[in-house]
Amino acid sequence: MHRNMSQICPGGCATCSEYNGCMSCKPRLFFHLERRDMKQIGVCVSSCPPGHVGQRSRERNECIKCKADCEACFNKNFCMKCKNGFYLHHGKCLENCPDWLEPNNHTMECNEIVH
Amino acid sequence: SAQKAIIRVIPFKLEPLTLEGVFASVAEVMPAEGKLLQFHPLSLCNTSEDEHTVPGFVSIVKLERPQRDLHPCLSLANKAKLAGERGAHAVLFDITDDESAADQLSKPRGLSHPVVLIWGHDAELLMGVVNNNREAHVKIEVKEMPAWPDYDVWI
Amino acid sequence: MDPLSPWWLFLSFSGALKIASMEQEVAPSCPPLCHCEEDGIMLSVDCSELALSSVPDGLSPLTAYLDLSMNNISELMPGDFQHLRFLEELRLSGNLLSDIPGEAFSGLYNLKILMLQNNQLIQIPAEALRDLPNLQSLRLDANLISVVPDKSFEGLPSLRHLWLDDNALTEIPVKALNNLPALQAMTLALNQIWHIPDYAFENLTSLVVLHLHNNQIQSLGIHSFEGLHSLETLDLNYNELVEFPVAIRTLGRLQELGFHNNNIKAIPEKAFAGNPLLQIMTLTRAGIRLLPGEMCQQLPSLRILELSHNQIKELPSFHYCQRLEEIGLQHNCIYEIGADTFRQLTALRSIDLGWNYIQSIHSEAFVTLHSLTKLDLTDNQLMTLPLGGLSGLTHLKLKGNPALSESFSKESFPKMRVLEVPYAYQCCAYGACGNFFKVSSQWDSEDISPEDDDGHKRTLGLFPGHVDNHYDLDLDDFQLEREDSKLHPNIQCTPSPGPFKPCDHLFE
């Protein structure tokens, strides 16, 4: 018996299978490969999980990883929220703020120094 | 005929399973072992990101029917090669739904990690382990071919 | 009362505490079927993928995160979220919203993230966005938006990230973008924009990233990018530019520029005079025939230059691009490499000259390239290869040069890993063809992965279509990065000798 695509697909899948999950997504949703212990399945989402960003193109929409120090990014090189222990400044995650900026430990951002 | 492989699957805290497959000649025939990790067929593309898993695992890839993937990003041989370059010690392909896979993987390419094909009931058992367990270890062995009896035959 | 005045915040906070304390005996309410998690005294509520057709009742006032994505919500009611004074993130993506009433988000003074992507909005819900003083991220991508009222973003003084990609915009919403002092990243990609007028982004002084890929942009004004003092990344890929966008000369902080898949034909002199910080440039399939002679004098910071799939015949000297690390020139019309072409590019690691018409390479061409590890000369018209400067190569590809019949000694390439040569016997030139190196059969054409001949997929940068933000390597290149841990050091030489491709010495 083919365990194949005719079964009911979850969420935004266009096609799916028992072992691999989604094989393709409904239009405009992002394809994401999700690791669950030993398993790796395809899922289709309208917003990508933490540490990933949705990248749209004519051929395909998929989730790609942000940089390792970034929790949420606009694209691979522009961070919007850094992981714990890093300060955000203009899309970059810094371990320390540069001298001409002031660290804000509440927002975890580097702010202009107000004289 | 292709060299047979013994696949010992040791799920965490469960009874081991002994399955059988066939070494594909795209790669070397050699034993291998490691932690079992399933990979989605679309994860083995140049444009897909490397998970940077710790090297030394054994990949299992469940191939879908070819009609479902009309524009494959890489040939199966290149997917097998990419898996090796991303840290796999061996690659298992469940070819139950893709009869053409065996041909695609029959041309010697000298890949330095073994590629084993599995199908039918053995494949179903293996994928069952993947579906129902969090972790498993796999040992791939080369099945000893029966020794030829001694015939005194002269031509 | 000014919603941000401390006095008001104290009142509402204590009010909330009063509600919370009343609820202390009773756990904060969680709408049926939703999944709620406490985060201190705040609540994260996930009601995604529940086939809901409206916003559920019973949301706790202490909700800070609310996910209503991937449901069937087609309508929001005024005040649906009015009591959620502490809400910071609201996800409504993947629903059926075609319009949003003006009062829908009233009272959400602490909202930072609003996700409306993957709905059916036909215009920006300007009224609803009127008073969100702390909103930083607004996602409106993957809707049907063709109208952007002038005052769409008036009430968003803190907005930093704006997604308008994958909509139906035909022009840049210049007036609407006039008052976004905090905006740092914006995408207008995948629309039908055909022109960028002068001063289109004049007040976006904090903008760092601007994506305009996959539009129909044919022309720009000379002053189109005036005012973008902070811009570092500009993506004009997949458009219909027929002239080099000289407007980029005002982008003094630009680091990454892409306009591959356009039809630019020529790059004028002094094209990059205003971009001294440019590091990565992607000009694949841009119809380019001519490169300016002094191009590199203006690009002292350039690290990666991708020029594949153009019609370039003659190369200038890249000598002044002193930081150049990778250059992609495959699929052009180049016929010779001079002594000066790559002179003293000591950081240059990779040169791809495949699929050109190169007949001659000056003997000094590679002598000063101390970092060169990869050289691809596939499919050219070489008769000989000057070996000076190539001792550090790990990858050398010479296939498709039928007149190149010389054998190479092992000593010429002590670090070689992947060698592709025109003839099998050239693999045997390394001594025994047996164990010293493991041969793999010829890289058959049908085996060539689809992207191998699609040069732009091997381009670089972070722009959509190329996922990685480093040189998008082919399979052999992966091998370089993982060479020690996995593959034991052997040379992969193709075409591999065999019964019908004998080594000469088999017949001596």
Side-chain angles (χ1 to χ4, degrees):
Chain A
M1 182 195 73
H2 279 299
R3 290 167 190 272
N4 55 26
M5 303 298 167
S6 52
Q7 65 193 62
I8 301 158
C9 294
C13 297
T15 55
C16 64
S17 84
E18 177 185 2
Y19 294 114
N20 289 312
C22 297
M23 291 300 294
S24 63
C25 295
K26 287 175 183 167
R28 305 175 115 186
L29 293 180
F30 297 106
F31 180 78
H32 176 55
L33 288 170
E34 196 170 86
R35 169 69 59 193
R36 296 178 186 166
D37 298 319
M38 219 186 330
K39 283 182 66 59
Q40 183 182 56
I41 61 165
V43 294
C44 297
V45 293
S46 62
S47 42
C48 295
H52 293 80
V53 58
Q55 181 172 265
R56 295 190 191 278
S57 71
R58 290 270 178 234
E59 296 90 29
R60 132 180 100 241
N61 302 312
E62 59 188 341
C63 297
I64 62 167
K65 281 192 193 132
C66 303
K67 283 191 171 176
D69 50 20
C70 181
E71 178 71 21
C73 63
F74 188 87
N75 65 35
K76 207 173 180 66
N77 278 343
F78 188 86
C79 193
M80 303 189 298
K81 182 184 177 201
C82 297
K83 287 188 176 165
N84 287 338
F86 293 90
Y87 294 94
L88 176 66
H89 180 63
H90 267 203
K92 306 277 191 296
C93 293
L94 311 171
E95 288 188 16
N96 300 294
C97 292
D99 303 340
W100 65 89
L101 294 171
E102 195 170 49
N104 178 327
N105 289 313
H106 173 58
T107 60
M108 286 308 286
E109 294 182 359
C110 302
N111 297 338
E112 310 290 337
I113 294 177
V114 182
H115 299 293
Chain B
S1 70
Q3 172 65 58
K4 286 205 162 72
I6 302 290
I7 305 161
R8 299 192 198 288
V9 186
I10 308 122
F12 191 57
K13 288 186 184 170
L14 285 178
E15 282 305 306
L17 270 175
T18 301
L19 310 170
E20 204 169 272
V22 163
F23 284 96
S25 25
V26 70
E28 304 287 330
V29 173
M30 57 197 284
E33 68 174 288
K35 182 178 164 186
L36 184 62
L37 280 179
Q38 180 206 353
F39 282 85
H40 191 286
L42 295 180
S43 73
L44 292 172
C45 294
N46 267 339
T47 51
S48 58
E49 295 188 305
D50 181 357
E51 279 186 288
H52 298 299
T53 34
V54 175
F57 50 88
V58 171
S59 310
I60 168 71
V61 184
K62 162 69 182 176
L63 298 178
E64 300 293 344
R65 285 185 295 138
Q67 307 87 301
R68 303 308 313 185
D69 189 4
L70 295 176
H71 308 291
C73 61
L74 285 178
S75 64
L76 283 184
N78 281 337
K79 282 181 186 255
K81 180 174 187 189
L82 185 58
E85 281 157 353
R86 286 184 173 175
H89 271 187
V91 184
L92 294 163
F93 282 115
D94 173 353
I95 63 169
T96 306
D97 289 337
D98 182 0
E99 288 92 9
S100 71
D103 285 345
Q104 291 186 53
L105 295 163
S106 61
K107 186 174 299 179
R109 284 279 301 281
L111 299 189
S112 53
H113 51 275
V115 173
V116 175
L117 312 184
I118 187 168
W119 62 91
H121 183 57
D122 287 55
E124 203 154 339
L125 291 175
L126 180 58
M127 292 312 293
V129 168
V130 171
N131 253 9
N132 305 310
N133 294 272
R134 299 191 59 176
E135 209 175 301
H137 190 81
V138 162
K139 283 185 177 172
I140 296 170
E141 297 159 9
V142 182
K143 182 171 182 181
E144 291 310 322
M145 302 303 280
W148 283 96
D150 293 335
Y151 291 118
D152 289 337
V153 175
W154 295 90
I155 296 170
Chain C
M1 176 179 290
D2 168 8
L4 291 181
S5 77
W7 183 240
W8 180 86
L9 280 174
F10 172 75
L11 277 181
S12 67
F13 196 74
S14 57
L17 279 181
K18 193 172 294 172
I19 295 169
S21 60
M22 279 159 50
E23 287 187 345
Q24 215 50 49
E25 299 77 29
V26 175
S29 56
C30 185
L33 304 177
C34 298
H35 173 70
C36 298
E37 262 181 32
E38 290 180 13
D39 178 8
I41 68 162
M42 292 301 168
L43 210 57
S44 284
V45 180
D46 182 353
C47 306
S48 61
E49 297 195 71
L50 296 175
L52 301 175
S53 55
S54 63
V55 178
D57 295 327
L59 287 164
S60 160
L62 296 173
T63 302
Y65 171 97
L66 174 58
D67 187 351
L68 291 166
S69 61
M70 301 294 276
N71 280 297
N72 302 326
I73 300 172
S74 55
E75 192 180 14
L76 296 179
M77 309 313 285
D80 258 344
F81 310 106
Q82 189 140 15
H83 58 301
L84 307 181
R85 292 303 166 104
F86 298 97
L87 193 62
E88 292 196 1
E89 182 165 347
L90 173 56
R91 297 186 170 208
L92 283 160
S93 56
N95 278 286
L96 307 170
L97 297 170
S98 55
D99 187 20
I100 297 178
E103 304 302 315
F105 305 133
S106 64
L108 298 182
Y109 300 122
N110 284 295
L111 193 63
K112 286 187 174 150
I113 297 171
L114 176 56
M115 291 193 181
L116 290 164
Q117 72 268 29
N118 292 83
N119 275 286
Q120 290 161 21
L121 299 171
I122 51 174
Q123 74 169 50
I124 304 274
E127 274 305 306
L129 301 173
R130 202 163 16 83
D131 192 9
L132 300 170
N134 282 297
L135 193 67
Q136 293 183 2
S137 292
L138 175 57
R139 292 200 59 170
L140 289 160
D141 45 315
N143 276 280
L144 308 168
I145 295 168
S146 59
V147 175
V148 181
D150 292 351
K151 292 191 180 303
S152 291
F153 309 120
E154 287 292 326
L156 308 175
S158 307
L159 195 64
R160 295 181 180 183
H161 319 117
L162 177 58
W163 287 261
L164 278 165
D165 51 327
D166 200 358
N167 274 291
L169 300 179
T170 54
E171 56 186 30
I172 306 279
V174 178
K175 290 206 174 85
L177 298 175
N178 221 354
N179 189 14
L180 288 164
L183 197 65
Q184 293 182 16
M186 175 169 68
T187 175
L188 296 165
L190 291 151
N191 279 287
Q192 293 124 49
I193 296 166
W194 61 277
H195 171 66
I196 304 179
D198 279 339
Y199 307 102
F201 311 105
E202 190 176 14
N203 285 347
L204 299 181
T205 53
S206 300
L207 201 66
V208 176
V209 174
L210 177 56
H211 286 200
L212 288 159
H213 65 82
N214 282 288
N215 275 287
Q216 292 142 29
I217 299 170
Q218 295 154 20
S219 60
L220 284 84
I222 296 175
H223 304 290
S224 295
F225 299 131
E226 293 277 358
L228 294 173
H229 307 312
S230 306
L231 200 71
E232 294 179 8
T233 299
L234 175 60
D235 169 358
L236 285 161
N237 299 321
Y238 296 104
N239 275 290
E240 293 162 14
L241 289 171
V242 291
E243 276 182 10
F244 181 85
V246 293
I248 68 163
R249 76 187 186 298
T250 61
L251 304 173
R253 300 182 66 87
L254 197 61
Q255 293 182 24
E256 202 156 346
L257 171 63
F259 38 94
H260 73 66
N261 288 80
N262 280 277
N263 195 20
I264 287 164
K265 300 189 183 60
I267 298 179
E269 292 294 341
K270 303 226 176 306
F272 306 105
N275 317 110
L277 302 180
L278 202 52
Q279 292 187 29
I280 298 176
M281 191 148 62
T282 316
L283 295 164
T284 315
R285 279 198 175 80
I288 292 171
R289 297 196 182 102
L290 203 59
L291 294 175
E294 282 79 37
M295 180 168 123
C296 273
Q297 272 87 324
Q298 301 143 33
L299 295 167
S301 309
L302 198 64
R303 288 188 302 108
I304 295 169
L305 177 57
E306 186 31 73
L307 283 161
S308 62
H309 288 272
N310 283 295
Q311 292 114 55
I312 299 166
K313 287 194 175 67
E314 290 180 12
L315 294 177
S317 168
F318 295 105
H319 169 62
Y320 288 102
C321 287
Q322 278 296 301
R323 293 209 187 137
L324 203 56
E325 295 170 9
E326 295 171 15
I327 186 164
L329 290 159
Q330 65 271 32
H331 292 283
N332 274 286
C333 311
I334 301 160
Y335 56 89
E336 74 173 353
I337 304 293
D340 218 28
T341 306
F342 303 117
R343 188 164 52 83
Q344 260 151 15
L345 297 178
T346 52
L348 191 56
R349 286 186 287 107
S350 168
I351 305 176
D352 192 335
L353 287 160
W355 290 279
N356 278 284
Y357 307 116
I358 300 171
Q359 295 165 8
S360 76
I361 298 178
H362 192 281
S363 59
E364 304 280 319
F366 305 126
V367 165
T368 56
L369 308 185
H370 307 313
S371 305
L372 192 64
T373 55
K374 286 194 300 190
L375 177 60
D376 189 335
L377 285 159
T378 302
D379 272 45
N380 275 284
Q381 295 164 17
L382 290 172
M383 285 179 280
T384 178
L385 176 70
L387 299 182
L390 299 184
S391 59
L393 285 184
T394 58
H395 286 64
L396 174 58
K397 297 186 178 180
L398 298 166
K399 213 166 52 175
N401 290 277
L404 184 60
S405 55
E406 63 189 89
S407 285
F408 306 102
S409 72
K410 195 169 58 176
E411 291 67 33
S412 308
F413 308 116
K415 296 182 182 168
M416 188 58 67
R417 311 244 359 150
V418 175
L419 178 60
E420 288 181 11
V421 285
Y423 301 102
Y425 69 79
Q426 290 164 316
C427 279
C428 298
Y430 284 83
C433 299
N435 299 333
F436 174 75
F437 56 86
K438 189 170 305 167
V439 298
S440 68
S441 68
Q442 183 156 352
W443 196 285
D444 298 313
S445 53
E446 61 81 25
D447 254 2
I448 290 178
S449 36
E451 85 288 351
D452 271 1
D453 50 23
D454 184 358
H456 102 270
K457 285 274 173 54
R458 299 183 53 206
T459 55
L460 63 158
L462 52 96
F463 305 121
H466 349 126
V467 174
D468 298 337
N469 71 343
H470 56 272
Y471 193 72
D472 188 1
L473 312 173
D474 69 19
L475 296 183
D476 303 318
D477 305 328
F478 277 108
Q479 197 163 340
L480 176 66
E481 287 175 13
R482 295 194 168 235
E483 56 187 10
D484 301 320
S485 63
K486 248 153 295 338
L487 299 177
H488 44 76
N490 60 35
I491 296 177
Q492 197 174 104
C493 186
T494 52
S496 55
F500 302 104
K501 289 177 260 179
C503 297
D504 284 350
H505 61 278
L506 287 181
F507 294 99
E508 280 151 16

